[in-house]
């Protein structure tokens, strides 16, 4: 009977990957089908479902989604846009700094939101400088994907990993005297953005009509100062800071992730209501309630639990350890590059959720902390999603925005930019990780 369940779960995993890649059916409905099949076949009973779903992580994701809308409405991106317009006076500066800034913002905001926020800036500045916007927009998407796992609140895989291993915010920056994901993603991102700026010269086509940045920027700066609600901006920044501090101290204060999210979102909502800003509150709660993502994750968490329950995680862990002969350098390198390859073609959320039980089993068999192996998984998953535009939602969003503006982006158009960007970032991140966590450990 166990073999039948294993076959069923593998079949459902292939079904999930295939449906997400096909893209014709929204992923939350695919997840719901999988959930119903698992319960109907008794591969997972209802009580196990409640255990497998990490409700605390879902609460954090929901809270971060609502807070992101508040940050957008507060005028944060208008300030970023104004800052960039005053400084980006050449095509190479535009590609590098716009991508790099998008990556930095993605440390605190969800990747798709970052692409949506930066799209008007990228398209407007490219048009004003008479440039091809394709490499500019793709650079924004690639950088936002990379920095998403620099902290535990930037991307769902990072949030899920933090919840699964009970990590705090500062663990992603520094852990037991060693640099963590913040450095393994930020340093490769800087180098990759430099490479992107150099190779993008072939795709950028500037005509002899220089963009007068100063006149437009002076005009925009005055307009922005009049539009932005400074009190709203200060309140939004304050509650984001409070949320980060509480996440950093949660081992000390023992607050659940969802409660921390509630404190930040609830506090900002109350202040907006005090100011009678009902429009912002309605917009944040409506636009930020990502029920589709929550339903998708419930199904994925349940499938991941079934994967571990019926021994598939143990089989995968034994296979990885056996082919590497228990050599931790080979194990972690294999996990990084395997994750890069898989994440290039499938969504990184189900892959991360499914592999975390495998990571713990591998760590136990090698006698190391699970976080050591988890960084290899998260590194490969984060950087690998950049290889193709179907590997990450932010990439798909960037391509769709370009196509709506009349710029057709083929699969090959994308990978001509993404391959050098991805290769440089993966190799740099992999080497840094192996040096500080494996070789010098």
């Amino acid at each position: 009977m166990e073999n039948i369940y294993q076959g069923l779960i593998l079949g459902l995993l292939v079904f999930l990957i295939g449906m997400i890649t096909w893209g014709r059916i929204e992923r939350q409905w695919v997840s719901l089908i999988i959930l119903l099949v698992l319960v109907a076949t008794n591969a997972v009973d209802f009580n196990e479902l409640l255990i497998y779903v990490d409700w605390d992580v879902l609460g954090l994701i929901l809270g971060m989604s609502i807070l992101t809308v508040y940050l957008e409405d507060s005028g944060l991106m208008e300030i970023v846009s104004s800052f960039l317009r005053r400084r980006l006076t050449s095509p190479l500066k535009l590609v590098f700094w716009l991508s790099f800034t998008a990556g930095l913002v993605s440390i605190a905001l969800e990747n798709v939101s970052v692409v949506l926020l930066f799209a008007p800036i990228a398209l407007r500045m490219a048009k004003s400088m008479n440039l091809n916007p394709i490499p500019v927009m793709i650079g924004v998407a690639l950088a936002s994907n990379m920095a998403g796992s620099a902290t535990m609140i930037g991307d769902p895989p990072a949030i899920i990993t933090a919840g699964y291993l009970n990590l705090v915010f500062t663990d992603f920056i520094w852990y037991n005297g060693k640099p963590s994901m913040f450095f393994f993603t930020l340093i490769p991102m800087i180098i990759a953005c430099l490479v992107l700026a150099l190779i993008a010269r072939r795709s950028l086509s500037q005509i002899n009509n220089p963009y007068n940045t100063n006149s437009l920027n002076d005009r925009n700066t005055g307009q922005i100062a009049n539009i932005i609600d400074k009190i709203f901006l200060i309140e939004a920044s304050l509650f984001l800071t409070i949320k980060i501090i509480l996440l950093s101290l949660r081992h000390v204060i023992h607050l659940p992730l969802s409660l921390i999210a509630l404190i930040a979102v609830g506090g900002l909502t109350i202040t907006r209501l005090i100011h009678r800003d009902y429009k912002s509150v309605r917009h944040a709660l409506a636009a930020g309630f990502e029920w589709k993502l929550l339903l998708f994750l419930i199904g994925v968490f349940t499938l991941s639990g079934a994967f571990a329950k019926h021994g598939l995680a143990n089989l995968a862990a034994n296979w990885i350890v056996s082919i590497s002969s228990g050599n931790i350098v080979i194990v972690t390198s294999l996990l990084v590059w395997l994750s890069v390859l898989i994440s290039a073609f499938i969504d990184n959320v189900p892959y991360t959720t499914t592999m975390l039980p495998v990571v713990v089993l591998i760590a136990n068999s090698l006698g190391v902390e699970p976080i050591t192996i988890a960084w290899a998984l998260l590194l490969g998953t984060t950087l690998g999603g950049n290889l193709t535009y179907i590997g990450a939602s932010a990439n798909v969003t960037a391509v769709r925005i370009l196509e709506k503006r009349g710029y057709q982006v083929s699969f090959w158009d994308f990978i001509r930019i993404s391959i050098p960007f991805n290769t440089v970032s993966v190799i740099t991140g992999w080497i840094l990780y192996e040096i500080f966590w494996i070789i010098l450990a």
Side-chain angles (χ1 to χ4, degrees):
M1 190 64 182
E2 193 65 26
N3 290 336
I4 295 176
Y5 279 135
Q6 288 178 348
L8 172 66
I9 293 165
L10 286 175
L12 290 174
L13 184 60
V14 172
F15 172 73
L16 175 64
I17 294 169
M19 290 296 100
I20 290 175
T21 304
W22 185 40
R24 297 293 182 87
I25 302 176
E26 292 188 58
R27 61 182 185 174
Q28 72 273 9
W29 305 127
V30 177
S31 183
L32 180 60
I33 292 171
I34 290 172
L35 186 65
L36 293 174
V37 170
L38 287 172
V39 174
T41 58
N42 205 34
V44 173
D45 62 40
F46 186 73
N47 289 330
E48 288 172 330
L49 184 153
L50 295 177
I51 295 172
Y52 293 152
V53 176
D54 196 329
W55 303 102
D56 201 29
V57 167
L58 293 185
L60 178 61
I61 291 175
L62 178 60
M64 196 63 218
S65 178
I66 296 173
L67 187 60
T68 295
V69 179
Y70 273 128
L71 290 171
E72 295 169 13
D73 291 345
S74 70
L76 174 65
M77 295 314 300
E78 290 297 335
I79 293 176
V80 173
S81 175
S82 176
F83 176 84
L84 291 175
R85 289 192 194 110
R86 291 195 298 269
R87 287 159 177 79
L88 304 184
T89 56
S90 73
L92 293 185
K93 286 183 179 180
L94 173 65
V95 174
F96 174 78
W97 285 108
L98 200 61
S99 301
F100 179 68
T101 307
L104 289 181
V105 174
S106 186
I107 290 175
L109 301 184
E110 197 272 329
N111 299 347
V112 173
S113 297
V114 172
V115 172
L116 292 171
L117 289 170
F118 272 79
I121 303 172
L123 292 171
R124 179 178 178 182
M125 296 186 71
K127 182 179 180 180
S128 300
M129 300 176 79
N130 299 304
L131 301 175
N132 180 358
I134 293 177
V136 182
M137 275 296 298
I138 291 177
V140 166
L142 296 177
S144 67
N145 282 325
M146 277 195 64
S149 291
T151 67
M152 66 174 285
I153 62 173
D155 208 17
I159 296 173
I160 292 168
T161 301
Y164 193 86
L165 298 179
N166 198 29
L167 303 176
V168 299
F169 188 89
T170 51
D171 289 339
F172 277 70
I173 302 172
W174 203 262
Y175 186 89
N176 283 351
K178 292 177 286 187
S180 295
M181 286 298 296
F182 181 84
F183 297 98
F184 301 153
T185 55
L186 191 63
I187 294 174
M189 185 183 74
I190 294 172
I191 297 173
C193 286
L194 286 170
V195 171
L196 176 66
L198 293 174
I199 65 172
R201 286 184 300 181
R202 304 170 188 173
S203 303
L204 294 172
S205 53
Q206 186 174 28
I207 64 175
N208 295 323
N209 184 17
Y211 173 41
N212 187 346
T213 57
N214 293 329
S215 62
L216 184 59
N217 289 334
D218 292 340
R219 183 170 67 251
N220 285 340
T221 301
Q223 293 174 348
I224 290 169
N226 293 329
I227 294 172
I228 291 178
D229 183 342
K230 293 181 181 179
I231 299 298
F232 189 5
L233 178 62
I234 292 172
E235 290 171 350
S237 302
L238 174 63
F239 281 104
L240 175 63
T241 303
I242 291 173
K243 183 173 184 175
I244 291 174
I245 292 173
L246 292 177
L247 287 171
S248 302
L249 299 175
R250 76 184 186 100
H251 277 343
V252 178
I253 57 181
H254 303 292
L255 289 180
L257 295 173
S258 52
L259 180 57
I260 292 173
L262 179 62
I263 290 171
V265 173
L268 187 52
T269 300
I270 291 171
T271 60
R272 286 293 89 202
L273 290 174
I274 291 174
H275 292 297
R276 297 183 179 180
D277 185 6
Y278 305 120
K279 181 180 178 181
S280 293
V281 173
R282 285 195 299 267
H283 181 235
L285 297 179
F289 185 68
E290 293 280 358
W291 68 269
K292 292 183 179 180
L293 176 59
L294 298 180
L295 179 56
F296 171 69
L297 288 174
I298 289 172
V300 170
F301 276 130
T302 306
L303 181 61
S304 174
F307 189 85
K309 173 188 174 182
H310 295 285
L312 289 168
N314 193 39
L315 292 174
N318 290 338
W319 176 78
I320 292 174
V321 172
S322 65
I323 66 171
S324 60
S325 300
N327 186 306
I328 191 169
V329 174
I330 299 176
V331 168
T332 52
S333 299
L334 178 63
L335 194 56
V336 167
W337 290 99
L338 182 65
S339 299
V340 167
L341 180 62
I342 293 175
S343 295
F345 299 98
I346 69 169
D347 192 283
N348 53 19
V349 171
Y351 175 70
T352 302
T353 309
T354 303
M355 287 299 293
L356 280 171
V358 179
V359 161
V360 173
L361 291 171
I362 292 174
N364 291 338
S365 67
L366 296 177
V368 298
E369 282 189 281
I371 191 173
T372 301
I373 311 300
W375 285 159
L377 170 70
L378 195 55
L379 182 68
T381 302
T382 299
L383 304 185
N386 271 335
L387 189 59
T388 69
Y389 66 72
I390 64 174
S393 299
N395 294 342
V396 175
T397 302
V399 170
R400 287 177 178 173
I401 290 172
L402 286 167
E403 289 176 345
K404 287 180 180 178
R405 301 302 191 282
Y407 299 96
Q408 296 302 314
V409 184
S410 70
F411 182 85
W412 300 110
D413 290 333
F414 188 92
I415 66 171
R416 272 197 291 267
I417 298 173
S418 67
I419 285 179
F421 185 99
N422 202 59
T423 301
V424 169
S425 61
V426 172
I427 291 176
T428 305
W430 171 53
I431 291 174
L432 288 172
Y433 162 76
E434 292 291 342
I435 290 174
F436 287 101
W437 278 80
I438 306 301
I439 297 175
L440 298 180

